[in-house]
Amino acid sequence: MTVVHPNAVSGINSITVQTGNSLSIHKADGSLIRTITGSTGVTTFATISVGSAYTDFAQGGGINIGLGASISNGSGNVLTFGTGGDDRATIDASGNLVHGGGSSRSAVGGAQLVQVEGLTAAAGFSAVRNSNDAHGPYISLAKSRGTALGAVTVIQDDDDLGAIRFGGGDGTDIASEGARIEATVDGTPGSNDIPTRLTFQTTADGAAAPTERLRITSGGLVGIGTDTPVTESGWGNTLHIHTAASGSNVRFSDGTSKGTNSDGSLVGHYTNDLYLINK
């Protein structure tokens, strides 16, 4: 190894020629500026600047692009993208993408491949479609029973197709689930045929998980308080209200008569009769 100290070159402390045709250039403080390895054709830079701006990579080496934009690699094999001199998005060693700052963490349902976190109302998603037709933007959730990327293996009855989960901080973490809207296979799927039911679930005070409150079956039946809404013989009803108490009821009230002071009620299955109660 040969070390050259070019005192006439400002800011450079040494140029080191390693065995194997390796050339290293260090700054006055001894930190690496660049390494060139001739045997492999690999050139290593501590930092690359494209344009006139400079970004201080406190977390590790990287690429400066234009006025404050950056791509950098810190400890733990993390890739960080920044603008205006601040970190904006991170891809961690597991491939999780965190947008808005912070690191990947377990939320409702566990840590996800994509996480959005922030300190303002901007910490969310928006989709805008501009087209001269009647169609709008959408979110697509899909499921297959395949075990490889791109699989289309047929699903089965009672498989979950996707869910929207709601949760919040409870002083310990943000893993507790408060409510859920879920789509589930409701029959036997086939080519271009996926019978599906939709359920709405909420978590009661003191409970640890949500409970189903309303269901819309693949046949269009609606059940409130029951997961098996039925069709009465010959009538073809679409709404089934069930309660474990002595009777189910539909209550009506206006803005001045909420809660127990209802204006009227339809009470059913109380001694198998239907009552209209007018207060």
Side-chain angles (χ1 to χ4, degrees):
M1 179 179 69
T2 302
V3 179
V4 180
H5 295 278
N7 296 327
V9 181
S10 176
I12 296 180
N13 175 266
S14 66
I15 300 175
T16 304
V17 181
Q18 305 276 1
T19 58
N21 300 319
S22 177
L23 178 65
S24 299
I25 304 174
H26 297 80
K27 292 192 294 186
D29 61 3
S31 59
L32 178 68
I33 297 176
R34 179 178 179 183
T35 296
I36 303 174
T37 304
S39 59
T40 61
V42 175
T43 300
T44 303
F45 294 87
T47 297
I48 301 175
S49 293
V50 181
S52 59
Y54 174 76
T55 301
D56 182 15
F57 294 104
Q59 71 274 41
I63 302 174
N64 301 310
I65 306 171
L67 190 60
S70 62
I71 303 174
S72 61
N73 173 248
S75 61
N77 195 22
V78 174
L79 186 62
T80 301
F81 300 84
T83 59
D86 294 322
D87 295 343
R88 305 299 184 183
T90 299
I91 301 177
D92 64 20
S94 299
N96 299 318
L97 171 63
V98 180
H99 186 281
S103 58
S104 178
R105 59 175 176 159
S106 180
V108 181
Q112 307 298 323
L113 289 176
V114 179
Q115 173 183 315
V116 176
E117 186 153 340
L119 302 176
T120 68
F125 299 92
S126 65
V128 179
R129 176 170 178 170
N130 300 285
S131 58
N132 188 20
D133 52 37
H135 305 295
Y138 53 84
I139 299 174
S140 296
L141 304 176
K143 152 81 176 176
S144 93
R145 278 191 168 248
T147 57
L149 297 177
V152 293
T153 306
V154 66
I155 51 182
Q156 300 179 12
D157 188 24
D158 289 329
D159 281 359
D160 294 333
L161 296 179
I164 301 175
R165 298 179 176 182
F166 306 86
D170 59 8
T172 301
D173 51 37
I174 55 172
S176 299
E177 187 174 1
R180 181 189 308 180
I181 302 173
E182 188 169 50
T184 308
V185 179
D186 198 28
T188 302
S191 179
N192 298 320
D193 178 19
I194 305 180
T196 305
R197 65 177 177 267
L198 193 63
T199 60
F200 296 80
Q201 307 168 35
T202 61
T203 300
D205 187 18
T211 299
E212 181 179 324
R213 310 299 185 184
L214 185 149
R215 170 178 298 207
I216 304 174
T217 70
S218 59
L221 299 179
V222 179
I224 300 176
T226 176
D227 59 6
T228 54
V230 297
T231 299
E232 296 296 335
S233 178
W235 290 96
N237 63 300
T238 58
L239 176 62
H240 179 186
I241 302 175
H242 174 79
T243 179
S246 57
S248 302
N249 66 82
V250 179
R251 311 190 72 169
F252 305 90
S253 64
D254 58 28
T256 60
S257 58
K258 299 179 181 179
T260 57
N261 298 317
S262 59
D263 292 333
S265 301
L266 281 175
V267 181
H269 199 51
Y270 188 79
T271 66
N272 294 323
D273 293 321
L274 179 65
Y275 294 87
L276 174 60
I277 302 177
N278 187 359
K279 300 182 68 174

